[in-house]
Amino acid sequence: MKPDEIRKLEAYLRKKFELESIKVKARPRKDDSAEVYIGEEFIGVIYRDDEDDDLSWNFQMAILEFDLEEA
């Protein structure tokens, strides 16, 4: 993803989740996705989908059972 696109996605997520510590970072050797962090903790990946001339992004986050036990 391009830096401008990453900045827009980061701003959107920060506003949507009301959380300024969300960071979106480019992935090494990947141009169709970016990593999402809260502070220094990796939480998921955003994938760019531009098939059929309809651009969208999909956020994927795995939640482990271990994570629920800490809550």
Side-chain angles (χ1 to χ4, degrees), residues 7-50:
R7 281 192 297 275
K8 288 178 183 179
L9 288 166
E10 184 176 270
Y12 173 81
L13 292 174
R14 285 179 174 184
K15 183 177 179 182
K16 180 57 72 178
F17 293 113
E18 298 178 357
L19 191 60
E20 285 297 314
S21 61
I22 291 179
K23 298 175 190 168
V24 179
K25 299 179 182 180
R27 296 177 76 192
R29 299 177 296 279
K30 300 279 186 179
D31 60 359
D32 66 340
S33 57
E35 297 177 344
V36 181
Y37 292 81
I38 294 179
E40 298 301 316
E41 181 181 0
F42 172 80
I43 62 163
V45 178
I46 295 179
Y47 294 95
R48 186 177 202 270
D49 182 1
D50 59 357

Side-chain angles (χ1 to χ4, degrees), residues 1-10:
M1 287 189 209
K2 297 176 183 171
D4 186 51
E5 185 176 20
I6 288 173
R7 281 192 297 275
K8 288 178 183 179
L9 288 166
E10 184 176 270

